[in-house]
Amino acid sequence: MRSTGLLDLTNDNGRYICYRFSDESVARDGHRILAGAWQLSNFLSNPVFLWGHDNSEPPIGRVIEIGETNGVLSGTVEYIERDINPLADMVFRMVKGGFLNATSVSWMPLKWQYSNDRSRPGGIDFEQVDLLEISQVPVPSLPTALVTARSVGIDTVPMQKWAEKALDRKDFPMSRNDLAAVRRAAGAPVAYPAVSSASGGQVRFPSLGSQLQAIAEACTDPAKVDSRLVRAPTGMNEGDASAGGFLVQANFVNDLIGGLYDESEIASRCDRRPATPPLAEVNIPGIDETSRADGSRWGGVQSYWASEADEVSASLPRFRNIEFSVKKLICLVRGTASLQADAPLLEAHIRRGFAAEASFKVDLAVLNGSGAGQLLGILNAPATIVVPKEIGQASKTITAANISSMWSRLPAPCRKRSVWLVNEDAESQLEQMVNVVGTSGFSPPAAQALYMPGGIAGGNSYPVLKGRPVIAVEQCSALGDKGDIVLADLSQYIIIDGGTTPALSAHVRFLNDELVWRFVLRIDGAPAYVSPITPYNGSDTRSPFVTLESR
């Protein structure tokens, strides 16, 4: 895929808008499409204009003219009328209003060569590409744009419905984090109602910013405590407003926690299970499975053909308890006293700061938590398999042989859900495998490049290794250490989330004209498996979590 935000509203007429779809400039991934590369014949046979590369939905328009001049691919789009496709009309109105302007082309490489430009190592110059489709796409600021568009009367309900359907799909071109953010921005009311019928008419704060202002005032002058504020429960210093604080209103807490997972690359892919507040201790029944042999699967559930009945003894499944207890993540968000005066700015600052910091710490704990006062991380879990390095392997390297060894230890059912988590410095090692031929991660296996950079084949948002996404995260260990590359089916990691009303509290203190907001998130997490599993056929154990030993 290749995206651009260039359009020409001066040449629009009715529902027609001219776009500059692509040019010869170097993209963010270091690649470039050369002048004369575009092959348009296949596209012109069905010149649809999609929303977000989603070919499961009707198009939002059609490209009525397109061509390349001096390396610039440009054309004109006609948007579909509202009575035919409400989403198309909503997107058109957002473009006309200046809230949206980006397009993206999806294409198949036909002929290319690696660039000799030292400023973009691994960069590819594409000499011939086949245009597959063109889409209007969200830009990083789309959730903010949606809120603003709604404020001027644009109906964003079609976008909400689209995002909800897209969230139910697997391997969608947009990340789940982005889709969730779009859904909330398109569907949430502009302001929360002042009265909650569900709480018997209790008056509520209209926004998080207004509640934060009330908390700050209460901490400054205990005589001015807003009647809508609720003290934190016993055990959180409820007698001292500046130390213990007040509970965050329930609907704001849900948004804060949602923002945490929207920001996350790791925790958002885990098996998240909300708990009834307050989270203290909970036991989840787990299946005691260490082998895939008959009589051992799913803790001892057994099936058999009728002719084998005389050879089978009755059995009951064995269960084990997965114990979770409250772990407290304390997050401090700083701001200036002057920021407090502007409720919308204060709310935006708190939401962004909390989501960024809390998601970083939770992702770090899912990977590397010790289990003592924090989550039990994958790298410290007994079920994780550590694959040995190759004999004579150089330090701080990752080889194709390492990748094959790791892949062979991942259970087959986990492969379609797995991702590679790698340290940012490890990406250069994987990029050396572009020309190495392996097999895909799917059944039946197909020969393909072992590693494929993101954005060139099939419109991958992430690079692909053995057919599965490669996600660079700074929480992975340094290159050469155990944990610099992790192969994981994160759906097999359970997070118990106690982040409802009693699980978060906030208070404020003053330091040199500075406000410090304190949030307490109650959470726990651990892998669902207690040990590696012996496969039905084969001797090497398997696990949903595989890493490489230090090199």
Side-chain angles (χ1 to χ4, degrees):
M1 297 181 190
R2 186 180 181 88
S3 302
T4 180
L6 301 176
L7 73 163
D8 183 2
L9 288 175
T10 63
N11 292 327
D12 68 325
N13 180 18
R15 302 187 73 83
Y16 299 88
I17 293 183
C18 302
Y19 284 95
R20 179 171 175 161
F21 298 122
S22 183
D23 54 35
E24 204 177 5
S25 61
V26 177
R28 286 180 296 177
D29 55 12
H31 306 321
R32 183 174 61 157
I33 300 175
L34 301 180
W38 291 101
Q39 304 294 303
L40 305 177
S41 57
N42 289 332
F43 173 77
L44 290 173
S45 64
N46 186 31
V48 296
F49 189 62
L50 302 178
W51 167 253
H53 297 290
D54 187 356
N55 57 17
S56 69
E57 292 289 320
I60 61 174
R62 62 175 178 171
V63 179
I64 60 173
E65 62 176 359
I66 187 171
E68 178 187 355
T69 304
N70 298 326
V72 176
L73 183 68
S74 59
T76 302
V77 173
E78 179 186 10
Y79 287 83
I80 295 174
E81 297 284 350
R82 177 179 177 81
D83 58 346
I84 300 176
N85 186 344
L87 177 62
D89 183 71
M90 191 217 78
V91 172
F92 172 69
R93 294 185 65 191
M94 289 188 69
V95 171
K96 293 282 288 184
F99 305 111
L100 192 64
N101 66 1
T103 62
S104 176
V105 290
S106 180
W107 43 274
M108 178 182 297
L110 301 177
K111 184 179 179 181
W112 68 87
Q113 63 180 358
Y114 285 94
S115 170
N116 295 322
D117 188 348
R118 294 184 179 180
S119 66
R120 50 188 183 107
I124 299 175
D125 288 334
F126 292 94
E127 300 172 341
Q128 194 174 62
V129 297
D130 187 15
L131 178 61
L132 301 178
E133 56 92 2
I134 305 177
S135 289
Q136 193 98 56
V137 292
V139 292
S141 61
L142 178 62
T144 302
L146 282 168
V147 174
T148 308
R150 284 169 45 228
S151 70
V152 299
I154 295 178
D155 180 13
T156 59
V157 171
M159 183 70 74
Q160 176 195 355
K161 294 179 178 178
W162 169 81
E164 288 171 348
K165 287 193 291 184
L167 278 166
D168 292 333
R169 295 174 53 192
K170 297 179 179 179
D171 297 326
F172 193 77
M174 284 178 64
S175 72
R176 291 185 60 81
N177 297 341
D178 291 339
L179 286 169
V182 168
R183 178 181 58 82
R184 286 201 311 275
V190 176
Y192 290 103
V195 177
S196 170
S197 58
S199 58
Q202 179 183 358
V203 178
R204 304 193 304 175
F205 287 98
S207 68
L208 175 61
S210 62
Q211 185 181 16
L212 292 171
Q213 287 179 321
I215 291 173
E217 184 176 15
C219 292
T220 306
D221 185 354
K224 296 181 178 180
V225 178
D226 192 301
S227 61
R228 292 171 292 181
L229 291 176
V230 179
R231 297 279 187 180
T234 302
M236 298 182 72
N237 301 316
E238 63 177 316
D240 181 357
S242 64
F246 302 88
L247 295 177
V248 176
Q249 196 165 287
N251 52 328
F252 305 149
V253 172
N254 294 332
D255 285 345
L256 283 167
I257 296 300
L260 183 166
Y261 288 99
D262 287 345
E263 191 83 12
S264 162
E265 282 283 13
I266 299 176
S268 61
R269 292 175 166 82
C270 295
D271 180 5
R272 178 188 168 204
R273 304 185 187 184
T276 302
L279 172 61
E281 182 174 326
V282 60
N283 293 328
I284 293 180
I287 306 304
D288 191 11
E289 179 182 77
T290 58
S291 171
R292 298 292 293 169
D294 285 347
S296 298
R297 291 185 296 275
W298 218 70
V301 172
Q302 191 169 1
S303 59
Y304 56 90
W305 299 106
S307 61
E308 300 172 339
D310 293 339
E311 304 173 17
V312 179
S313 58
S315 67
L316 292 174
R318 299 184 303 274
F319 290 88
R320 64 180 178 86
N321 279 331
I322 307 176
E323 297 181 358
F324 295 91
S325 59
V326 62
K327 308 294 192 300
K328 292 183 181 180
L329 176 64
I330 301 173
C331 182
L332 303 179
V333 184
R334 287 176 167 79
T336 62
S338 60
L339 187 65
Q340 177 197 340
D342 191 316
L345 285 178
L346 175 62
E347 178 172 345
H349 175 76
I350 293 296
R351 287 182 184 275
R352 184 68 180 88
F354 172 80
E357 177 60 20
S359 66
F360 178 91
K361 294 293 285 188
V362 172
D363 279 359
L364 181 62
V366 171
L367 264 183
N368 205 24
S370 66
Q374 56 185 266
L375 282 61
L376 176 61
I378 291 170
L379 296 179
N380 295 312
T384 299
I385 291 176
V386 182
V387 171
K389 64 182 178 182
E390 298 298 309
I391 297 175
Q393 182 173 344
S395 63
K396 297 185 177 180
T397 60
I398 300 174
T399 68
N402 295 149
I403 300 303
S404 295
S405 296
M406 292 179 66
W407 185 259
S408 68
R409 304 299 294 276
L410 188 73
C414 294
R415 295 182 179 181
K416 62 185 177 182
R417 300 185 297 265
S418 63
V419 296
W420 300 87
L421 303 173
V422 303
N423 181 278
E424 294 153 305
D425 293 336
E427 289 183 293
S428 60
Q429 294 290 309
L430 302 181
E431 287 168 357
Q432 298 177 28
M433 303 177 194
V434 170
N435 293 321
V436 178
V437 176
T439 57
S440 71
F442 305 99
S443 180
Q448 65 174 38
L450 185 64
Y451 176 84
M452 300 176 68
I456 64 169
N460 300 312
S461 299
Y462 297 101
V464 172
L465 182 65
K466 295 285 284 187
R468 299 307 302 157
V470 177
I471 304 173
V473 292
E474 56 183 320
Q475 290 90 343
C476 276
S477 306
L479 179 60
D481 294 341
K482 186 185 83 170
D484 61 347
I485 180 169
V486 176
L487 176 60
D489 174 5
L490 291 170
S491 69
Q492 301 303 313
Y493 188 97
I494 300 173
I495 291 179
I496 300 297
D497 181 6
T500 47
T501 305
L504 279 175
S505 68
H507 79 277
V508 62
R509 58 177 175 164
F510 295 90
L511 295 172
N512 300 323
D513 199 37
E514 184 181 65
L515 293 90
V516 182
W517 299 89
R518 177 178 179 269
F519 296 87
V520 180
L521 174 64
R522 298 186 175 193
I523 190 172
D524 198 11
Y529 284 68
V530 70
S531 67
I533 298 172
T534 301
Y536 183 76
N537 286 319
S539 56
D540 288 340
T541 55
R542 308 282 198 274
S543 172
F545 309 106
V546 185
T547 189
L548 188 59
E549 76 170 347
S550 299
R551 298 158 310 288

